[in-house]
């Protein structure tokens, strides 16, 4: 089993979809039970991966690799090759968990075309898992496009009053980005053939890692920048980054509750995952070249997204739209952590992606439960809900505090790492981003005050029943993970340590990567969170290539972020 654990996790939902094809559509209860069985089974099957990965968490490179390059369609160099590192491992576990919770939450929410709904949801689950596992670009693109159609149908068939508009908008935005990414993939494909020895066509991501950075020197900085942008638009639309975010509020508002949960919790992470997996390793010189300012523009867009999303959330009258715009703000922190190009920032970004999936997924479940009872999401329709739904109000308060980044809950540690990594790169970027944290507290606490506090003023709310056992069950795993990450995040940082340090090393000085890895091993990797930070005293230089030329002597090894912060403070 261990040799094919990833394939088993990947295709379990698809097998469930195939089984549902043979169940009569009139037997809705059987369809629900089977769909939930395979969704829960997919999550339970992924659990053995945890100890298996934990034992290898400090080993370099991808793990549990299945398949060989070019073994699928040899004539074009496409292969069924899958594997994971610490970043994709966490996203896979998030996907299997939220997939089960989403399907469980749909039990009473979906009454029409139940069979088709669960089939498409399980197919969507397979597509999302494939994106995080694929180590072949052709296979990656197949999964990337495969999840587009199910999400389009989930919104377009089971969505709200403006479902067709939202579904078509989502489809066109994402497809436009995919076309540009396909052109970029083909350029990398033919470029690899021209420079590789021996000349061979391949879509292997591991092989393209070796040749893609040469594009900067072979074709010049502007050609490399255009190629970077072909990937950037695809991933920025998926995140979505400002100003490519306009499809997201419509999709969230019109999607069924489970669709919103999986959209916010997993699909949006494909964009940030693409930045980390492809944009950083393929185009390191584009991001670090001081003359073309790409990195600066990306950070500016991230900060605008943080502030814009938070400010617009303050103005919303619809609870679901408020949560949707809060995603734009929170994911702005994630992209900021990626593009500051520091180990702390990148580690915080990946952890915050997990946190966002947990917290925002819970927020959409919370809104959906109230909508099922009252069929309205207008904030003005509510008030005093804590008097009639105390359990619901308690869980909502915990997840609101998690989303705003209260210490001891999961949102705090991710934002702290991002802000610390950003401050180390340039304190001015951190200063501009900090108001986003304050605004998050403002719009969430104000929403809670209007909906839950006071007396029940609307007679329609007086007889609302509290959470059922099934509804409580959907929140229990999310609450456990929220407290776990908030109280003891060390295991998550150990999982991220090796891939994050390797990516940052390769971006700033690919030639020094091997030397720094040796230094990390000698420093005792595995005893705690090891962060690589520049010893340069010029903070304006941040993580510039010039500051990295002396690697590994240009780095110091810090056992924890507090030591990093004290070291940076002492040097200033």
């Amino acid at each position: 089993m261990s040799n094919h654990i990833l394939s088993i996790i990947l295709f379990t939902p698809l097998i469930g979809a195939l089984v549902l094809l043979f169940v009569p559509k009139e037997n809705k209860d059987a369809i629900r039970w089977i769909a939930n069985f395979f969704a829960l089974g997919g999550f339970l099957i992924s659990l053995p991966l945890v100890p298996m990965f934990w034992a290898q968490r400090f080993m370099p490179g991808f793990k549990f690799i299945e398949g060989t390059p070019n073994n699928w369609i040899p004539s074009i160099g496409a292969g069924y090759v899958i594997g994971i590192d610490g970043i994709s491992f966490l996203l896979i576990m998030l996907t299997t968990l939220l997939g089960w919770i989403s399907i469980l939450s749909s039990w009473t929410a979906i009454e029409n075309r139940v069979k088709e709904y669960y089939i498409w949801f399980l197919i969507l689950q397979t597509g999302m898992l494939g994106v995080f596992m694929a180590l072949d670009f052709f296979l990656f693109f197949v999964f990337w496009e495969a999840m587009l159609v199910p999400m389009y149908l989930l919104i377009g068939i089971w969505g709200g009053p403006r479902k067709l508009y939202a579904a078509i908008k989502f489809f066109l935005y994402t497809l436009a980005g995919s076309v540009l990414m396909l052109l970029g993939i083909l350029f990398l494909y033919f470029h690899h053939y021209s420079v590789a020895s021996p000349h061979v066509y391949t879509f292997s991501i591991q092989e393209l890692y070796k040749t893609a950075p040469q594009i900067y020197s072979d074709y010049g900085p502007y050609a490399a920048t255009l190629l970077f942008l072909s990937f950037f638009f695809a991933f920025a639309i998926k995140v979505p980054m400002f100003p490519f975010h306009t499809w997201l509020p419509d999709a969230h508002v019109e999607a069924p509750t489970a669709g919103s949960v999986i959209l916010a919790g997993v699909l949006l992470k494909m964009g940030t995952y693409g930045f980390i997996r492809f944009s950083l390793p393929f185009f390191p010189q584009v991001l670090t070249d001081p003359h073309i300012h790409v990195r600066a523009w990306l950070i500016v867009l991230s900060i605008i997204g943080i502030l814009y999303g938070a400010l617009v959330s303050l103005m919303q009258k619809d609870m679901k739209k408020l949560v949707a715009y809060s995603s734009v703000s929170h994911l702005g922190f994630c992209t900021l952590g990626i593009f500051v190009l520091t180990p702390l920032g990148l580690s915080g970004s990946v952890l915050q992606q997990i946190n966002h999936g947990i917290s925002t997924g819970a927020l959409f479940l919370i809104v959906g439960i109230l909508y099922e009872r009252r069929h309205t999401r207008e904030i003005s329709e509510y008030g005093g809900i804590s008097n009639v739904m105390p359990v619901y109000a308690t869980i909502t308060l915990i997840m609101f505090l998690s989303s705003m980044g209260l210490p001891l809950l999961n949102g705090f540690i991710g934002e702290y790492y991002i802000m610390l990594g950003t401050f180390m790169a340039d304190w001015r970027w951190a200063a501009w981003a900090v108001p986003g944290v304050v605004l998050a507290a403002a719009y969430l606490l104000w929403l809670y005050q209007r909906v839950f506090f006071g007396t029940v003023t609307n007679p329609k709310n007086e007889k609302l029943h509290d959470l059922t056992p099934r509804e409580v069950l959907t929140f229990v795993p999310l609450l456990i993970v929220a407290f776990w990450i908030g109280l003891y995040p060390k295991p998550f940082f150990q999982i991220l340590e090796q891939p994050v340090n390797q990516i940052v090393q390769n971006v700033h000085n690919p030639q020094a990567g091997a030397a720094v890895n040796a230094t990390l091993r000698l420093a005792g990797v595995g005893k705690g969170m090891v962060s690589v930070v520049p010893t340069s005293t010029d903070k304006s230089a941040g993580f510039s290539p010039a500051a990295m030329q002396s690697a590994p002597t240009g780095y110091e090894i810090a056992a924890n972020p507090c030591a990093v912060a004290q070291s940076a403070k002492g040097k200033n």
Side-chain angles (χ1 to χ4, degrees):
M1 176 179 173
S2 61
N3 294 332
H4 301 285
I5 181 68
L6 294 184
S7 290
I8 294 171
I9 296 171
L10 174 61
F11 292 114
T12 296
L14 186 61
I15 293 172
L18 293 175
V19 170
L20 286 178
L21 289 175
F22 300 97
V23 180
K25 63 181 181 179
E26 293 81 10
N27 197 344
K28 295 182 179 180
D29 285 340
I31 292 170
R32 292 188 179 101
W33 278 108
I34 292 171
N36 278 272
F37 173 81
F38 278 96
L40 177 60
F43 173 61
L44 295 178
I45 288 172
S46 68
L47 291 180
L49 186 63
V50 176
M52 294 165 62
F53 188 91
W54 183 256
Q56 305 181 35
R57 64 193 182 281
F58 298 119
M59 294 176 60
F62 293 100
K63 303 161 184 67
F64 308 106
I65 295 178
E66 299 178 29
T68 57
N70 311 340
N71 67 350
W72 181 22
I73 313 177
S75 59
I76 63 172
Y80 175 77
V81 186
I82 58 176
I84 58 173
D85 62 2
I87 297 169
S88 48
F89 165 73
L90 291 180
L91 290 169
I92 286 168
M93 297 307 299
L94 176 69
T95 304
T96 57
L97 174 62
L98 287 183
W100 166 55
I101 290 174
S102 299
I103 287 178
L104 181 61
S105 71
S106 304
W107 194 284
T108 58
I110 302 299
E111 293 293 341
N112 299 319
R113 298 189 178 185
V114 175
K115 178 178 177 178
E116 292 89 339
Y117 173 83
Y118 285 111
I119 288 175
W120 285 117
F121 213 107
L122 290 168
I123 293 174
L124 174 65
Q125 180 89 340
T126 296
M128 295 184 299
L129 289 169
V131 166
F132 298 133
M133 294 181 185
L135 294 181
D136 181 276
F137 239 142
F138 188 88
L139 184 67
F140 170 84
F141 192 78
V142 168
F143 283 124
W144 180 276
E145 293 298 288
M147 64 86 209
L148 177 60
V149 174
M151 194 68 228
Y152 166 79
L153 294 174
L154 288 174
I155 298 173
I157 297 176
W158 294 277
R162 301 175 70 243
K163 56 189 178 184
L164 289 179
Y165 169 78
I168 292 172
K169 193 174 183 180
F170 161 77
F171 191 90
L172 292 178
Y173 265 73
T174 308
L175 187 63
S178 299
V179 170
L180 292 174
M181 181 172 66
L182 178 60
L183 295 176
I185 292 172
L186 292 175
F187 190 101
L188 294 177
Y189 174 77
F190 288 109
H191 173 262
H192 177 84
Y193 175 83
S194 66
V195 301
S197 181
H199 297 296
V200 60
Y201 289 111
T202 182
F203 284 101
S204 171
I205 291 172
Q206 293 171 291
E207 291 299 317
L208 294 176
Y209 278 154
K210 303 173 184 177
T211 57
Q214 300 176 26
I215 293 173
Y216 184 88
S217 56
D218 292 345
Y219 294 92
Y222 294 104
T225 302
L226 290 175
L227 190 59
F228 171 86
L229 291 176
S230 69
F231 287 90
F232 167 78
F233 285 119
F235 301 143
I237 289 170
K238 186 69 75 176
V239 171
M241 290 181 69
F242 178 90
F244 308 103
H245 66 282
T246 57
W247 65 268
L248 182 66
D250 293 314
H252 269 315
V253 170
E254 301 305 324
T257 297
S260 294
V261 172
I262 210 70
L263 177 61
V266 182
L267 259 74
L268 305 187
K269 310 306 179 296
M270 293 182 183
T272 50
Y273 176 79
F275 283 135
I276 297 170
R277 179 67 72 225
F278 304 119
S279 297
L280 299 190
F282 285 165
F283 312 103
Q285 301 97 327
V286 173
L287 290 166
T288 55
D289 190 331
H291 301 294
I292 51 181
H293 308 296
V294 168
R295 178 183 173 221
W297 277 108
L298 297 178
I299 289 172
V300 168
L301 290 179
S302 298
I303 293 173
I304 292 175
I306 291 170
L307 300 178
Y308 171 82
L311 289 171
V312 176
S313 293
L314 279 170
M315 306 301 295
Q316 296 307 311
K317 299 178 180 179
D318 183 301
M319 282 187 283
K320 203 172 187 183
K321 188 166 283 190
L322 184 151
V323 177
Y325 276 107
S326 75
S327 287
V328 177
S329 181
H330 286 129
L331 287 164
F333 280 105
C334 294
T335 55
L336 177 65
I338 293 171
F339 295 123
V340 294
L341 304 181
T342 63
L344 290 179
L346 189 53
S347 296
S349 173
V350 178
L351 188 61
Q352 193 64 7
Q353 292 169 41
I354 306 301
N355 294 337
H356 178 266
I358 298 298
S359 302
T360 306
L363 295 186
F364 279 115
L365 285 175
I366 287 165
V367 175
I369 286 170
L370 212 52
Y371 181 77
E372 282 187 39
R373 286 156 170 76
R374 280 291 323 278
H375 300 289
T376 179
R377 294 183 294 262
E378 291 294 319
I379 299 172
S380 59
E381 286 287 318
Y382 298 97
I385 297 298
S386 61
N387 297 312
V388 293
M389 301 177 69
V391 176
Y392 174 76
T394 302
I395 292 175
T396 301
L397 180 60
I398 294 172
M399 299 317 301
F400 273 29
L401 296 175
S402 164
S403 185
M404 72 177 68
L406 184 78
L408 302 183
L409 287 167
N410 58 330
F412 170 75
I413 190 66
E415 287 185 353
Y416 173 76
Y417 262 62
I418 290 171
M419 297 308 297
L420 184 58
T422 304
F423 184 88
M424 291 170 60
D426 192 318
W427 68 268
R428 291 165 294 187
W429 296 338
W432 277 105
V434 161
V437 180
V438 180
L439 290 170
Y443 61 72
L444 286 171
L445 291 177
W446 191 30
L447 173 63
Y448 194 86
Q449 183 267 326
R450 288 179 288 173
V451 174
F452 291 92
F453 287 162
T455 59
V456 179
T457 56
N458 190 334
K460 296 179 181 178
N461 299 328
E462 292 177 350
K463 296 183 180 181
L464 294 178
H465 59 86
D466 212 342
L467 298 181
T468 65
R470 177 186 59 82
E471 290 169 336
V472 172
L473 182 61
T474 61
F475 288 107
V476 169
L478 302 178
L479 291 169
I480 292 172
V481 176
F483 279 105
W484 179 13
I485 296 176
L487 294 170
Y488 191 63
K490 179 180 177 181
F492 296 88
F493 286 121
Q494 287 187 338
I495 289 170
L496 294 173
E497 176 183 310
Q498 194 280 329
V500 163
N501 284 336
Q502 186 63 55
I503 289 171
V504 174
Q505 293 155 21
N506 290 342
V507 168
H508 291 295
N509 193 344
Q511 292 77 17
V516 176
N517 273 337
T519 305
L520 289 172
R521 287 192 292 271
L522 291 174
V525 173
K527 299 178 181 178
M529 176 60 188
V530 177
S531 297
V532 186
V533 298
T535 58
S536 169
T537 58
D538 181 8
K539 291 197 64 160
S540 63
F543 270 64
S544 66
M548 297 295 175
Q549 291 303 314
S550 57
T553 58
Y555 292 82
E556 61 186 32
I557 308 301
N560 56 62
C562 296
V564 176
Q566 291 171 359
S567 172
K569 183 178 179 181
K571 289 178 172 57
N572 290 313

